[in-house]
């Protein structure tokens, strides 16, 4: 209004989102940090993308119906604390999420139930089964525990009119799983014998383990709440499994980047562990 003092510019990266395009914007405001920002890697998924053969046999599992039911693009958001947290939650609760674009309809969804934190990339993995979908998630994790190997496993409802349900991505259609080493090791660098295993001549061997569901599920609320429920970067990334095991992780290091599957064996997948050399041992070194 006339005579009112000009708005004060926020600190760098502090969210400022005008309620209307006609509202005054403080000089020096960076509107890139209004709303959804900080997007990193993206990966497109085609319908039934893993329903192909290699040397005349199915790439993995079934020969038909394997993969998503629709074309979509997975988008990783590494920023995201740019909106007011839900009532009753902590101010720092919102962070980055996995997001998805329904290519055919142009709809965009956030998927906080597929982990929250600093998401670098998300990509599909072949389950070999026409009824199930798997999403690999590169999340920085939380430095209080460290980055691990996270996979969403969901069951598709192929008759549903809803895009997320049809593709096994509805809130109640799956769970987050983490890799647990068969030998009980919890430090990733120790498990893979890093840095010795980085040598070209190193004799690579199989290191068995299992994917186990974490002891937490998204109930539609995003943050920390007075009733004890929380769904935050630390709670999702530092969770134990339902059997009480500690998942494999880069101890005390929050850092990993891109990933993808092997086209010849699409149940095989890889992640760039860019922080592996900084992993901490139990004595902090």
């Amino acid at each position: 209004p006339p005579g009112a003092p000009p708005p004060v510019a926020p600190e760098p990266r502090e969210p400022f989102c005008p309620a209307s395009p006609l509202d005054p914007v403080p000089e020096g405001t960076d509107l890139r940090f209004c709303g959804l920002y900080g997007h990193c890697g993206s990966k497109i998924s085609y319908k039934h993308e893993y329903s192909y053969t290699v040397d005349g046999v199915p790439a993995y599992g079934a020969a038909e119906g394997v993969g998503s039911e629709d074309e979509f693009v997975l988008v990783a958001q590494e920023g995201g604390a740019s909106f007011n947290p839900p009532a009753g939650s902590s101010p720092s609760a919102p962070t980055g999420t996995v997001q998805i674009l329904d290519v055919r309809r142009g709809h965009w969804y956030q998927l906080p139930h597929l982990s929250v934190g600093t998401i670098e990339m998300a990509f599909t993995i072949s389950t070999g089964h026409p009824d199930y979908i798997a999403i690999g998630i590169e999340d920085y994790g939380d430095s209080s525990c460290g980055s691990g190997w996270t996979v969403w496993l969901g069951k598709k409802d192929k008759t549903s009119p809803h895009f997320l349900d049809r593709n096994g991505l509805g809130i109640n259609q799956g769970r987050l799983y983490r890799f647990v080493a068969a030998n009980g090791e919890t430090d990733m660098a120790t498990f893979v014998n890093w840095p010795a295993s980085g040598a070209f001549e190193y004799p690579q061997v199989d290191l068995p383990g299992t994917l186990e569901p974490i002891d937490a599920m998204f109930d539609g609320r995003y943050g920390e709440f007075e009733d004890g429920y929380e769904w935050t970067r630390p709670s999702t990334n530092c969770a134990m499994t339902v059997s009480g095991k500690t998942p494999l992780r880069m101890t005390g290091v929050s850092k990993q980047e891109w990933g993808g599957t092997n086209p010849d064996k699409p149940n095989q997948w890889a992640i760039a562990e860019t922080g592996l050399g900084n992993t901490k041992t139990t004595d902090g070194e």
Side-chain angles (χ1 to χ4, degrees), residues 32 36-40 76-80 119:
R32 289 179 301 171
L36 302 176
Y37 71 89
H39 290 123
C40 192
Q77 182 190 15
E78 57 183 357
I119 314 295

Side-chain angles (χ1 to χ4, degrees), residues 44-49 67-73 100-105 124 133 156-158 160-168:
I44 193 167
S45 174
Y46 298 98
K47 181 177 180 179
H48 299 167
E49 63 179 316
S68 62
E69 293 300 310
D70 295 89
E71 291 77 23
F72 57 69
V73 179
I100 189 169
L101 170 67
D102 176 354
V103 172
R104 184 175 297 276
R105 300 160 190 83
T124 59
I133 193 169
K156 300 184 290 186
D157 181 356
K158 290 178 279 190
S160 174
H162 195 283
F163 167 77
L164 293 181
D165 293 349
R166 195 164 52 250
N167 289 286

Side-chain angles (χ1 to χ4, degrees), residues 146-219:
S147 303
W149 299 334
T150 305
V151 177
W152 166 270
L153 294 175
K155 185 173 184 180
K156 300 184 290 186
D157 181 356
K158 290 178 279 190
T159 63
S160 174
H162 195 283
F163 167 77
L164 293 181
D165 293 349
R166 195 164 52 250
N167 289 286
L169 296 169
I171 290 175
N172 295 316
Q173 289 180 277
R175 295 190 70 153
L176 285 177
Y177 287 69
R178 298 290 293 275
F179 181 86
V180 175
N183 64 2
E185 180 59 59
T186 61
D187 178 70
M188 190 183 297
T190 304
F191 181 67
V192 301
N193 195 23
W194 183 263
S197 59
F200 179 79
E201 65 277 7
Y202 184 83
Q204 301 292 337
V205 295
D206 291 338
L207 299 172
T210 56
L211 288 172
E212 297 192 12
I214 64 170
D215 190 18
M217 292 187 70
F218 185 64
D219 75 353

Side-chain angles (χ1 to χ4, degrees), residues 45 48-52 58-69 123-136 151-156 158 167-169 173 175 177 211 261-262 265-269:
S45 174
H48 299 167
E49 63 179 316
Y50 297 118
S51 300
Y52 59 86
Y60 178 64
E64 297 181 358
V66 181
S68 62
E69 293 300 310
F123 62 96
T124 59
I125 302 169
S126 177
T127 64
H129 197 293
D131 293 339
Y132 294 89
I133 193 169
I135 307 290
V151 177
W152 166 270
L153 294 175
K155 185 173 184 180
K156 300 184 290 186
K158 290 178 279 190
N167 289 286
L169 296 169
Q173 289 180 277
R175 295 190 70 153
Y177 287 69
L211 288 172
T261 55
N262 177 354
K265 295 182 178 181
N267 60 310
Q268 296 180 345
W269 47 282

